[in-house]
Amino acid sequence: MLIAAVLLIGVATAVAFVAMRNRSPEQAAAPTVAVPDATTAAALQANEALAARALVPEAVGQPLQVYPAGALHVVGQERFAVGLVDPESGPIEAGTVDLLFFKLVETTGTLTETLAAPFLPYGIREAHAEDHDEDAGEITGIYVARPRFDAPGNWGVVARVTMPDGSMRAGQRAFAVEAENLLPGPGDAAISSQTLTASEPEEIAKICTADPVDNMHALSLDEAVENGKPTVVLFATPALCASRTCGPSLEATQELQRRYGKDANFIHVEIYPGADPERPAAAVAEWDLPSEPWLFLIDSEGKVVERFEGGIGLTELDPAVRALIR
């Protein structure tokens, strides 16, 4: 079974947090917050807001829950997306968000970047959905930034939120950064996987869990990367999606196909053809996918231009696809 795209990672070590602000030599040293040993989940939960309180001392209310929308983070500049939830009132999808990244080395956490993170809706929505089900805790989009990770290991992020009423909220999350991985990234050659194809709805239904089925199964991925056109390929399983974002991601990709289908190949690779969660498609292993969904933009020469893990939408994808087909 694939790892869920929303991966909650904790740092099971004792750490201290150092906030590296711009200070003159006359100013006091950066504050340090000691975090007791967090070898148990309960201890980690009890101390999960210390970095947030150090970096956003004016924050009010309970610490926000910060949910990374991806399972993979690698050294270099990476797309980093999070969902934010107030434990009392539900998803936070209004206000201005900055993401503050810090690197954990032994017992010290050092702030490396502070980046604005705009809200990007899932699927074909152009903005926050006013009719979403807040009672069910439904998240309709993510906050996205592109930090640069200069070393592998344990990292953390603090979400600083300025609410519409001017109040401040904050939350934090620890995560891991890998030195490298086998999954194709920007500049790498796309893997020429032979994927299942079908053209008629009744045949597509045998290899696609979407209902109704989509029409992005006519061309195999290996043929697409060699036919001289750019390719947009989505790995997703709408009916069996652990992250619950495959459906909206498929909707966005279908809309992009309607807009740009004459200029690029559009392919949906069903992760579980036959709707069998114990038998993923061969391409999933060939691409070394740790989660779902994933979308890759591939240029006309068969090189990966960009990759997106987790939920995606038109607001983020449309400009990227337009740049791909220029």
Side-chain angles (χ1 to χ4, degrees):
M1 181 71 69
L2 293 176
I3 301 172
V6 179
L7 187 64
L8 309 182
I9 305 173
V11 178
T13 57
V15 300
F17 180 77
V18 180
M20 301 295 290
R21 298 184 176 91
N22 293 325
R23 295 180 168 221
S24 66
E26 292 77 19
Q27 290 177 302
T32 298
V33 179
V35 180
D37 183 64
T39 55
T40 68
L44 180 63
Q45 179 69 21
N47 296 293
E48 67 176 2
L50 287 176
R53 292 191 182 106
L55 286 174
V56 194
E58 64 272 41
V60 298
Q62 291 191 40
L64 299 179
Q65 296 167 344
V66 180
Y67 295 105
L72 180 66
H73 309 289
V74 183
V75 168
Q77 190 167 29
E78 283 282 311
R79 174 184 183 265
F80 191 95
V82 296
L84 302 177
V85 176
D86 184 319
E88 293 184 341
S89 62
I92 298 288
E93 298 187 348
T96 302
V97 173
D98 295 311
L99 297 181
L100 292 71
F101 295 90
F102 54 94
K103 178 170 55 178
L104 299 168
V105 179
E106 295 182 353
T107 60
T108 301
T110 304
L111 185 66
T112 60
E113 287 184 284
T114 299
L115 301 174
F119 179 76
L120 301 177
Y122 290 147
I124 58 176
R125 294 163 173 158
E126 299 293 341
H128 168 62
E130 298 296 339
D131 61 348
H132 79 291
D133 188 353
E134 291 188 355
D135 292 336
E138 180 187 359
I139 295 176
T140 67
I142 47 180
Y143 294 93
V144 178
R146 290 186 174 271
R148 184 172 295 279
F149 302 124
D150 61 7
N154 293 320
W155 285 68
V157 62
V158 167
R160 180 177 64 199
V161 185
T162 305
M163 300 297 291
D165 64 2
S167 63
M168 301 291 292
R169 302 295 304 276
Q172 74 180 61
R173 175 62 65 181
F175 59 95
V177 172
E178 300 179 17
E180 58 184 2
N181 66 88
L182 299 178
L183 191 150
D188 294 334
I191 297 171
S192 294
S193 295
Q194 185 175 359
T195 56
L196 299 176
T197 60
S199 298
E200 298 301 322
E202 60 272 17
E203 294 300 317
I204 296 174
K206 298 176 182 179
I207 63 171
C208 176
T209 64
D211 184 15
V213 297
D214 60 87
N215 64 346
M216 295 185 288
H217 300 273
L219 188 65
S220 178
L221 182 54
D222 60 336
E223 298 171 336
V225 299
E226 296 175 1
N227 71 2
K229 295 175 68 175
T231 297
V232 178
V233 56
L234 174 70
F235 293 84
T237 179
L240 300 172
C241 194
S243 70
R244 299 175 61 188
T245 60
C246 292
S249 299
L250 179 62
E251 289 178 352
T253 308
Q254 288 177 288
E255 176 58 29
L256 290 168
Q257 182 192 33
R258 284 189 281 271
R259 296 179 183 183
Y260 309 115
K262 293 181 179 180
D263 301 308
N265 306 306
F266 283 82
I267 296 176
H268 169 208
V269 179
E270 168 61 51
I271 292 178
Y272 299 117
D276 184 351
E278 300 301 322
R279 300 183 64 182
V284 173
E286 292 168 358
W287 281 69
D288 198 37
L289 301 180
S291 57
E292 35 75 2
W294 280 87
L295 184 139
F296 294 84
L297 302 183
I298 303 168
D299 67 17
S300 59
E301 297 180 352
K303 299 287 187 181
V304 174
V305 174
E306 185 59 279
R307 64 187 184 191
F308 302 83
E309 180 184 11
I312 46 179
L314 281 178
T315 305
E316 184 173 15
L317 285 178
D318 187 88
V321 172
R322 281 191 279 110
L324 178 71
I325 64 178
R326 277 205 301 254

